[in-house]
Amino acid sequence: MKQKDVICVVCPNSCAITVKQMPDGKLLMEGQGCKRGEQYASDEFLAPKRTLATTVRIKGAFIPLLPVRSSVPVPKERLNDILDLLARIEVQAPFKCGSVVVQNVLGLGADIIATRTLGVDTCAKVACELR
Amino acid sequence: MLYDFAIIGAGVTGTAIARELSKYKVSAIVIEKLSDVACETSKANSGIIHAGYDAPSGSWKAKMNVRSNPLYDDICKELYIPFRRLGSLVVALAGQGTDYIEELYQHGVERDIPVEIIKELSQIKKMEPNITDDVEVVLHAPTAGVISPFTLAIALAENANINGVEFVFNAPVQAIENMGKFFIVDTPGKSFQARAIINASGLFADEISRMAGDESFKITPRKGEYILLDKMGDYVRKVLFPVPTKKSKGILVSPTVDGNVFLGPNARDQDSKLDNSTSLHGLDEVIEGGRKLIPRIPLVESITNFAGLRAVSSTNDFIIGESKVTPKLFQAAGIQSPGLSSCLGIAEEVVDAVKASGIELKLKENFNPTREKPIVFAELPWSERDALAQWNKQFGHIICRCETVTEGEIVQAIRRPVGARTVDGVKFRTRVGMGRCQGGFCTPRVIKILARELGVEEDEIVKREPSTKYFFGETKEFRQPRAASVNGSEVARP
Amino acid sequence: MMQKETDVAVIGGGPAGLAAAIEANKGGCSVTIIERDDGLGGILQQCIHPGFGLHEFKEELAGPEYAQRYIDMLGETKVDVMLGTMVLDMTPKKEILAINEQGVVKVQAKAIVLAMGCRERTRGAIKIPGYRPTGVYTAGTAQRFVNIEGFMPGTRYVILGSGDIGMIMARRLTWEGAKVEAVVEIMSYPSGLIRNKVQCLDDFGIPLYLSHTVVRVHGKDRVTGITIARVDENWKMVPGTEIFFSCDTLLLSVGLIPENEVSRKAGIRLARTNGPEVNQFLQTNVEGVFACGNVLQVHDLVDNVAIEAKRAGAMAAMYATGIRLPSINSPDAVPLVAGRGIGYVLPIKVNTGVDLALASRIGPVNVSLRVKRPVDDVYVRVKNGAKEVYKKFFKHLRPSEMVIFELSAAALNAIDKAQPIEAYLEPKPAKELSEAKVA
C-alpha cells in the first residue's frame, strides 16, 4: 500500500495531509482541511505538477538571458528533461513577453513562454547600462 | 635591469619608504606578494595617528611616533588624503585609579606632546556626550587623529610611482640570493636584481630577512578583531582608549576618518601568519570592551567585522636600519602599533640609514610632491556635481548607492598610477561597497566596469588575489556548455 | 541644472512606484517617476519565479511579467519617467535633488510618494565570524547574477536564512545544476512561506536546519566550507552541535530593511520597523510626503504592495490638488500600538474625527500587522480602552504572513482620543476550541 505525507500549500493553513492508496486504487486521506486541499493532496499523490520558471540564452538583447516559464504546470518528474532542453536553446531578440519559446514542450501540453520583453521596448529594460 | 633598491612589501611602511626614496635619483621597485597596496596589516588596523605618549621612553616606537605625528598635516594636504585630528581620550573608569593616566601625562610632557588631564565629568561629557558615566578621569591628547590607512598607502604609492618607482603585485618573494654586489630576488613569475633590499614585509619580515641571511629576529602575529558600524554623525567624537587591564591591552571605540565608528581590537597571539578570521568569542570580547566606554553603542548599526594581524617582533620594538649581518639589507620590521602613526618617520630613518651605509643619494630636481586630486563626488557641492556630470556623464551615474560613488570615480581609480585591478582595489580607492549594503548592489556593476576598462571578460575579474574569483561559469553551463547550444527553432519541435 | 515641476513625484519605479504613479495620475495630477535604474520594474525583473499577481490578475505570473503589466498600464498614461536618476536629497518643502547622466535635476513637487523599496541585510548585520573570502553573497545579489547577468556564483551552496528569496534561490540554483547542501535558520520555524519550503526545499530533498546558524566561514580566499551549529532559545551556540559542510558559496537570506536614507534627509520620522511613521492616509510626519511598498514595510505579496501603493498614490493626488489630509502630528492622531504577540502594526497612528465627507471618500482604514512568532487558534483583537474595534479568529498565524484587515469609518468615529488603540493576540479559550471540534 502506497502512502505519502503532503503539506498542503493551497492556503496558509498548511494542513499536513496523509494520503494512502488502497489496493483498489482508491485514496484515503487524513488531515485535509477542505475540498481544495483534498484535490491538491490527491494531485500530489497521483501526478504532482509544478510551474517551471527558468531562463534561456538570448542573442541580441542587452542581457544574456530571457526569463521563461511553462504556461501551465508540468509533471514534476519531467522538470529535469525540460530544463536540459531549455539549456540547449538560444533565441534571438527581439522577444515579447508572453510569446512562445517552445510550443508543447516534450509533448506535455505546456508551452514555454517568455516572461519579459527584450529588445522591443526600452521601457522594460533594467539597469545594464554597461553592456 | 639592475635596480638600486628592491622594496619588499607594499604596506604603509613600504610605500612610505618608496615615496621617500623617490625624492632621490634612484631606481626602485616595490615587490608585493598580494594583489594591491595595503592588503594585509595596513588594511586591517585602527587607522589612528597616535599622539605619541604611549610607547615606552627611548623605544623606536616612541621616537618614530613622536617624529611622525606632525608630518601628517603636510603630506595629507600634498597627497589629498583625508585626515582629521579628532583628539583622543584615555578613559580611566571609577576604581581604576589615576596612576596610568599620570604616567602617560608625564610622557606627554617629556615628549613635548600637548596633553591635559580632565577630571570634571561635565567637561568630559561635553567632549564625548555618550561616554560611560563610570568615567573618573581622562587624558586628552588633541593631536591624535584618524586616517584611512589604505588611502595613505595608495596615495604614497601613486606619488612614488609618478616619481619613477615601479610596482609589481601578486609576486611573493620565494628566495633572495646575495651576489655580493647585488641581490637577486625570485618571485614565481620573475626575478629582480637590486643593489640593496629594503625589508618592509610586515608579518613576513623575519622570513624575508632570513632569506637575505639575517636571522636575528622573529615576527609573531597578534590578531586583533574589529566591528565596524555605519555612519552615525557625531555619536562618537574622539578616539577613546581604555586603561589596559591584565586581560586585554585595550579595546577602543573611535570614529573612522569617513565617519563610521569602530570597536576593537582585541589582542591574541597566534602561530599562523595567514589566519585573519574572526571568532564568535573574539567579537563578543570586542563588544564587551566597547561597551565599557560607550555603554549604549548601537550594535544594530554593525555593517561588517574583520580581523588584522599585527607584526610583533621578538624585540617587541620596531627594527629599523641596516642589518648587522647582511650589508645593504635595510630593515623596517616589527612595525606593529603605532606603525601607521610612525611610517613617515620610519621612511626618513631608513633613508638616513641608506645614506649612512655609504650609498650616495642625490636629490632629484624635479620631484613632484603631489598627485592628481581624486574626484570624490559625495563631497562636492551641487553646482560642481552638475558641472562634472555634464563634462563626463559617467559622473552622473551612481554605482554605489550607500556611499554615493559614481562610475566616473571608479574609472578614475582604475586609470590612476598604480590603479585598481580588482574589486577590492576599486573599493579601497573609492569606497564602493563599503557602505551598509556591503557591495550587494554594486559588486556586479563594478565587475562590469573593471572588465570593460581592463579589456577582459567579466569572469576573469577577482576580488583580490587570483584565487578569489567570483564566478564558476555562465548560467546554463552546468546543464549544457555554451558551445553545444543550438538554434531554438530546431529543438523546439516536439 | 535642470529644473522641473510636477504635482506628484514618485521616488522609485518598482511595483510600488508604478502602482502609485498610475493611481496619482488617475487623480488628475501630473506625475513624475524618478527611478535610479535604467528601467522600470525594480526587483521584480530578477524575480523570474512564478507566484506574482494571484490576487490581482488571478494568474500566477513571473516577476517580470507582473512588472510588464504595470509598465504597459503606465504606457497608457502621461506619467513622466526619469530613468537612471538617483535621488540624493529631499527637503520638507518637497524639493528633490537628483543626479543623472545629464547633470543635476531639481524637481519641485506638490506631493511626494516614497517607493524606494528595501535592501538586504548583510553578513555584518548578523555577526558571522570567520574569514572574508569571495563566495559570500546575499540571496538577491546571487539572484541577479544567475537570472540577469548570466553567471553562476558557485557550484555548492549553504544558504543562511529561510527567507523567501533564499528558498526560491535554492530551487533556482538546483534547477541550474548547482547543489544546495543545506538551508540554515536560526528561528525554530521557517521564516518564509510554507509553500516555498515545500516547493523549493522539500521537492529537492534540501535539508532545512531549524534553530541552527552559521558559526564559521572557512576559506581565506574563496569559501571552502561552512560550519553551522544549533542555537539555544537565546540564540547562543550550543557547543558540540557543529556540522561542517564543504561548499564554495554561502548565501544570506536574513531579512530585508526598508531603504530610507533619503527619507531621513527630509526629516521624516522612522518607526522601529525602519519604515516611515505614517497614519491611515499613509502620510508621514512631513505633510504631503507619503510612503508605500517595501520602503514602508516589507511585504510578502506584491499584490498587497500594489494595494498599498494605489492608496498612497490616490492620497498624494488629493494632497497635490489641494485637499488637506489630517496630519499624524495632530492631537487627533491616536497611536495604534503593537500589544501581546504582535511584532508590529501599521499605521503607527490613526487620525480620529476625520471629516465625514473626506472619510467616505477615502474609505475604510487598512491595518496591517505581523505576529511575533507562529501561533495557532488565536483572536486578533484591536481595542481602544475597553471598546472593541476589531476581532477575528485565525487558525494559524505566522510572522511570514502579513495580516491585513479593515477598520470601518464607524468604528473609528467612536475612538476615544485619550487612549491608545492596541492590537494584540488572545488565545481562543480551550473550551471554545473543544466545542468547535465536536461541532
Side-chain angles (χ1 to χ4, degrees), chain B residues 227-362:
Chain B
I227 294 173
L228 185 72
L229 310 183
D230 205 347
K231 294 179 182 174
M232 294 192 294
D234 59 359
Y235 189 84
V236 181
R237 297 177 178 180
K238 290 183 182 298
V239 183
L240 305 181
F241 298 95
V243 169
T245 62
K246 271 185 200 135
K247 205 177 130 206
S248 152
K249 194 163 165 282
I251 286 157
L252 1 165
V253 178
S254 170
T256 69
V257 74
D258 300 302
N260 296 73
V261 169
F262 76 83
L263 293 70
N266 57 353
R268 209 169 289 264
D269 286 344
Q270 63 182 36
D271 293 329
S272 169
K273 291 179 175 179
L274 301 173
D275 177 356
N276 62 347
S277 63
T278 54
S279 65
L280 264 183
H281 79 267
L283 295 174
D284 285 341
E285 194 185 333
V286 167
I287 291 169
E288 195 193 325
R291 280 187 174 150
K292 284 191 184 139
L293 298 172
I294 306 275
R296 277 180 299 276
I297 190 144
L299 293 165
V300 292
E301 301 289 338
S302 161
I303 54 178
T304 186
N305 64 67
F306 60 90
L309 301 178
R310 311 171 182 90
V312 181
S313 80
S314 43
T315 67
N316 203 26
D317 198 2
F318 300 158
I319 297 167
I320 301 172
E322 189 175 17
S323 161
K324 293 192 177 66
V325 186
T326 308
K328 306 288 183 278
L329 166 66
F330 298 92
Q331 310 280 19
I335 312 298
Q336 60 147 323
S337 178
L340 178 65
S341 313
S342 304
C343 64
L344 300 179
I346 293 171
E348 292 178 355
E349 191 67 30
V350 167
V351 169
D352 287 348
V354 167
K355 288 176 183 165
S357 77
I359 297 174
E360 202 186 339
L361 294 180
K362 277 193 195 138

Side-chain angles (χ1 to χ4, degrees), chain C residues 129-375:
Chain C
Y131 288 100
R132 308 197 58 74
T134 42
V136 181
Y137 302 99
T138 57
T141 302
Q143 189 179 44
R144 183 176 174 96
F145 279 138
V146 174
N147 292 345
I148 292 192
E149 310 284 344
F151 290 107
M152 294 296 281
T155 62
R156 293 169 77 187
Y157 295 77
V158 166
I159 300 177
L160 174 61
S162 57
D164 289 314
I165 317 171
M167 294 200 284
I168 285 162
M169 277 310 288
R171 175 176 65 187
R172 185 76 198 100
L173 292 164
T174 308
W175 276 351
E176 281 301 332
K179 175 104 175 77
V180 178
E181 302 287 348
V183 175
V184 184
E185 170 59 56
I186 197 164
M187 309 296 271
S188 57
Y189 51 89
S191 62
L193 302 172
I194 293 293
R195 167 198 164 101
N196 284 331
K197 179 191 175 288
V198 170
Q199 297 200 340
C200 299
L201 305 186
D202 299 354
D203 265 10
F204 307 98
I206 297 168
L208 171 61
Y209 290 86
L210 295 172
S211 300
H212 278 69
T213 194
V214 170
V215 293
R216 193 165 173 84
V217 175
H218 302 262
K220 191 176 161 78
D221 292 340
R222 175 79 202 189
V223 173
T224 54
I226 296 294
T227 300
I228 70 167
R230 208 170 65 228
V231 294
D232 63 19
E233 56 277 12
N234 300 316
W235 292 2
K236 285 275 176 214
M237 169 192 163
V238 181
T241 61
E242 293 91 343
I243 308 169
F244 174 79
F245 294 98
S246 180
C247 64
D248 52 42
T249 309
L250 171 66
L251 293 194
L252 305 176
S253 177
V254 289
L256 302 165
I257 310 169
E259 185 125 64
N260 275 296
E261 278 63 45
V262 175
S263 319
R264 278 201 195 98
K265 291 188 178 169
I268 286 166
R269 264 200 316 272
L270 300 186
R272 219 165 33 84
T273 50
N274 279 315
E277 290 188 358
V278 293
N279 61 9
Q280 70 262 44
F281 312 109
L282 300 173
Q283 184 170 233
T284 67
N285 61 307
V286 177
E287 278 189 46
V289 179
F290 303 82
C292 60
N294 285 357
V295 81
L296 176 61
Q297 56 176 337
V298 176
H299 289 257
D300 34 67
L301 292 177
V302 73
D303 301 280
N304 293 335
V305 169
I307 292 167
E308 191 173 272
K310 282 174 188 168
R311 189 171 178 84
M315 297 297 138
M318 283 171 71
Y319 185 90
T321 48
I323 299 167
R324 285 292 165 267
L325 298 164
S327 162
I328 192 170
N329 306 321
S330 137
D332 292 335
V334 181
L336 172 55
V337 296
R340 190 177 53 209
I342 307 289
Y344 76 87
V345 59
L346 280 183
I348 293 286
K349 285 187 180 178
V350 176
N351 284 75
T352 57
V354 179
D355 171 69
L356 279 178
L358 186 64
S360 72
R361 191 167 158 192
I362 286 164
V365 168
N366 283 325
V367 175
S368 49
L369 60 82
R370 285 181 194 272
V371 294
K372 270 191 186 144
R373 54 187 68 82
V375 282

Side-chain angles (χ1 to χ4, degrees), chain B residues 28 39 146 151 216 266 277 285 485 489:
Chain B
C39 270
V146 290
T151 308
S216 60
N266 57 353
S277 63
E285 194 185 333
S485 77
S489 58

Side-chain angles (χ1 to χ4, degrees), chain B residues 49-330:
Chain B
I49 303 302
H50 295 269
Y53 50 71
D54 188 44
S57 298
S59 64
W60 273 115
K61 289 180 182 174
K63 273 188 280 181
M64 292 296 102
N65 189 351
V66 172
R67 176 168 163 187
S68 302
N69 180 293
L71 303 177
Y72 278 90
D73 301 280
D74 283 348
I75 201 162
C76 289
K77 261 186 218 120
E78 279 174 346
L79 296 178
Y80 305 105
I81 302 163
F83 171 55
R84 288 157 63 201
R85 287 199 192 272
L86 298 173
S88 64
L89 299 179
V90 183
V91 180
L93 306 179
Q96 287 182 324
T98 57
D99 292 358
Y100 180 72
I101 298 285
E102 270 155 22
E103 185 191 329
L104 296 184
Y105 178 78
Q106 280 310 319
H107 284 178
V109 172
E110 284 160 21
R111 297 172 196 175
D112 217 8
I113 303 164
V115 280
E116 57 174 333
I117 290 178
I118 304 172
K119 292 184 173 165
E120 184 59 46
L121 183 67
S122 63
Q123 202 185 337
I124 297 169
K125 283 270 181 184
K126 213 168 157 189
M127 289 175 119
E128 199 61 66
N130 294 306
I131 201 167
T132 173
D133 292 338
D134 283 344
V135 57
E136 188 162 302
V137 54
V138 300
L139 179 79
H140 177 219
T143 55
V146 290
I147 197 167
S148 150
F150 34 86
T151 308
L152 175 65
I154 288 162
L156 289 167
E158 268 188 37
N159 186 241
N161 186 244
I162 293 166
N163 288 297
V165 178
E166 294 173 36
F167 284 80
V168 56
F169 294 104
N170 293 316
V173 172
Q174 294 169 315
I176 297 173
E177 211 165 331
N178 188 342
M179 310 302 287
K181 286 200 165 138
F182 63 94
F183 297 87
I184 301 174
V185 181
D186 292 336
T187 73
K190 205 178 168 192
S191 297
F192 302 91
Q193 303 172 66
R195 292 196 177 89
I197 287 181
I198 294 170
N199 179 15
S201 50
L203 290 165
F204 296 86
D206 52 347
E207 293 170 39
I208 295 294
S209 181
R210 194 167 63 229
M211 287 183 203
D214 181 349
E215 298 186 35
S216 60
F217 63 92
K218 210 175 149 29
I219 301 288
T220 308
R222 182 175 295 162
K223 185 185 281 181
E225 292 163 79
Y226 292 89
I227 294 173
L228 185 72
L229 310 183
D230 205 347
K231 294 179 182 174
M232 294 192 294
D234 59 359
Y235 189 84
V236 181
R237 297 177 178 180
K238 290 183 182 298
V239 183
L240 305 181
F241 298 95
V243 169
T245 62
K246 271 185 200 135
K247 205 177 130 206
S248 152
K249 194 163 165 282
I251 286 157
L252 1 165
V253 178
S254 170
T256 69
V257 74
D258 300 302
N260 296 73
V261 169
F262 76 83
L263 293 70
N266 57 353
R268 209 169 289 264
D269 286 344
Q270 63 182 36
D271 293 329
S272 169
K273 291 179 175 179
L274 301 173
D275 177 356
N276 62 347
S277 63
T278 54
S279 65
L280 264 183
H281 79 267
L283 295 174
D284 285 341
E285 194 185 333
V286 167
I287 291 169
E288 195 193 325
R291 280 187 174 150
K292 284 191 184 139
L293 298 172
I294 306 275
R296 277 180 299 276
I297 190 144
L299 293 165
V300 292
E301 301 289 338
S302 161
I303 54 178
T304 186
N305 64 67
F306 60 90
L309 301 178
R310 311 171 182 90
V312 181
S313 80
S314 43
T315 67
N316 203 26
D317 198 2
F318 300 158
I319 297 167
I320 301 172
E322 189 175 17
S323 161
K324 293 192 177 66
V325 186
T326 308
K328 306 288 183 278
L329 166 66
F330 298 92

